[in-house]
């Protein structure tokens, strides 16, 4: 699943893994978990993440190769990885080593202005990673996670200034990944992620159901 910050990758991946029985492998979620656990990896990633820059490729490639090796044969959805062309070429090696392949790439396309609005309204559970929005996806009780009752937070990288940096990083470093896959004849579906979340997932399920039927 490729797409700009706030395009809805996490929101839609959660629905996909539930429907098709897959594992959700989000590089951002894994990094945030490492930070909570206070590991060396988490400490190194912190400065990059909080400024809106990418964590260096070498760290990410190793981290995701490890996650892919441990993933069940039933398959997985990659969320937020790869994010550079170098990560994409390294991913191909990790997949070959794990006897896995990319079946489809979903590319969520969204206008920058909408990203800024969604990020301003996002609230996240630091415990289970659930994502809410104060406009669109409100928790049952204001400020509290539906799943575990934890107090919701605003991600430190969701400030307007950092969101601007993340968008710039996306356009410069991650958009070329889409061209890379389109040129390498992978199946890439562009999805209009400006739409309502229900419309977006309906578009995604049409594509994935067809793929599942073979
Ligand atoms: P990461 O956690 O991957 O952040 P991101 O790509 O910036 O994307 P987000 O998680 O912010 O947004 P999302 O697309 O998942 O949207 P969501 O569903 O939450 O990465 C964070 C950082 O880690 C990076 O900046 C980098 O430093 C580092 N990193 C991670 N991966 C890396 C890699 N591969 N290489 C190097 N560094 C890496 O939705 C957003 C909001 O909108 C929510 O409030 C949601 O409820 C709402 N919403 C969703 N869909 C809709 C809709 N259709 N309509 C209305 N509201 C919606
Ligand atoms: Mg996400």
């Amino acid at each position: 699943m490729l797409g700009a910050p706030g395009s809805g990758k996490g929101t839609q991946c959660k629905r996909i893994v539930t429907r098709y029985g897959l594992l959700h492998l989000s590089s951002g979620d894994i990094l945030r978990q490492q930070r909570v656990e206070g590991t060396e990896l988490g400490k190194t990633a912190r400065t990059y993440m909080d400024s809106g820059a990418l964590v260096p490729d070498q760290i990410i490639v190793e981290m995701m190769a490890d996650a892919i090796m441990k993933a069940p044969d039933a398959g997985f959805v990659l969320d937020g990885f790869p994010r550079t062309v170098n990560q994409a070429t390294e991913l191909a090696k990790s997949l070959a080593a794990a006897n896995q392949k990319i079946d489809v790439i979903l590319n969520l396309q969204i206008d920058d202005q909408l990203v800024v609005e969604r990020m301003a309204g996002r609230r996240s559970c630091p415990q289970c990673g659930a994502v809410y929005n104060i406009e669109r996806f409100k928790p049952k009780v204001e400020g509290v996670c539906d799943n575990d009752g934890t107090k919701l937070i605003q991600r430190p990288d969701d400030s307007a200034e950092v969101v601007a940096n993340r968008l710039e990083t996306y356009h410069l470093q991650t958009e070329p990944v889409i061209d890379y896959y389109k040129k390498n004849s992978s199946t890439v579906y562009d999805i209009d992620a400006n739409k309502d979340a229900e419309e977006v997932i309906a578009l995604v399920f049409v594509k994935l159901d067809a793929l599942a039927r073979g």
Side-chain angles (χ1 to χ4, degrees):
M1 177 77 81
L2 299 176
S7 57
K9 299 184 296 297
T11 301
Q12 302 303 349
C13 280
K14 287 192 175 85
R15 298 167 183 207
I16 292 170
V17 296
T18 304
R19 184 175 176 101
Y20 302 100
L22 303 170
L23 183 68
H24 184 186
L25 291 179
S26 156
S27 47
D29 286 350
I30 297 173
L31 289 169
R32 278 183 287 278
Q33 185 59 33
Q34 295 284 329
R35 287 177 57 164
V36 168
E37 291 172 13
T39 64
E40 281 308 311
L41 172 55
K43 285 178 196 156
T44 308
R46 183 186 198 100
T47 355
Y48 297 101
M49 294 173 81
D50 289 354
S51 67
L54 292 183
V55 176
D57 281 352
Q58 198 193 340
I59 295 175
I60 294 290
V61 165
E62 272 179 38
M63 180 183 91
M64 295 308 287
D66 186 50
I68 287 169
M69 277 316 264
K70 291 178 186 153
D73 290 342
F76 46 84
V77 184
L78 295 171
D79 165 0
F81 172 79
R83 251 169 151 106
T84 63
V85 172
N86 181 39
Q87 288 182 19
T89 55
E90 292 299 320
L91 168 62
K93 295 179 197 164
S94 304
L95 290 173
N99 210 16
Q100 294 275 11
K101 66 176 176 56
I102 296 175
D103 293 306
V104 63
I105 294 165
L106 300 168
N107 176 35
L108 298 185
Q109 297 179 307
I110 186 170
D111 298 338
D112 285 5
Q113 185 47 42
L114 208 49
V115 166
V116 174
E117 284 168 28
R118 285 190 193 173
M119 296 311 212
R122 175 162 60 183
R123 299 292 180 273
S124 308
C125 175
Q127 188 64 33
C128 73
V131 173
Y132 301 89
N133 191 285
I134 55 171
E135 305 290 338
R136 281 286 287 111
F137 299 102
K138 296 180 183 173
K140 291 190 184 105
V141 179
E142 194 186 327
V144 176
C145 179
D146 292 348
N147 299 333
D148 51 32
T150 305
K151 190 169 180 287
L152 299 177
I153 58 156
Q154 271 191 286
R155 266 174 44 181
D157 57 345
D158 275 354
S159 68
E161 192 192 355
V162 180
V163 168
N165 290 343
R166 287 162 65 196
L167 275 170
E168 194 183 349
T169 302
Y170 171 77
H171 291 304
L172 280 173
Q173 294 183 263
T174 305
E175 268 180 350
V177 175
I178 299 156
D179 295 331
Y180 165 84
Y181 280 123
K182 285 184 175 170
K183 278 186 197 131
N184 281 276
S185 72
S186 309
T187 308
V188 181
Y189 293 125
D190 292 329
I191 307 273
D192 182 358
N194 295 301
K195 293 178 189 285
D196 186 83
E198 302 312 319
E199 285 180 68
V200 174
I201 200 62
L203 292 170
V204 168
F205 285 163
V206 165
K207 301 288 186 196
L208 296 187
D209 282 354
L211 194 76
R213 281 196 300 272

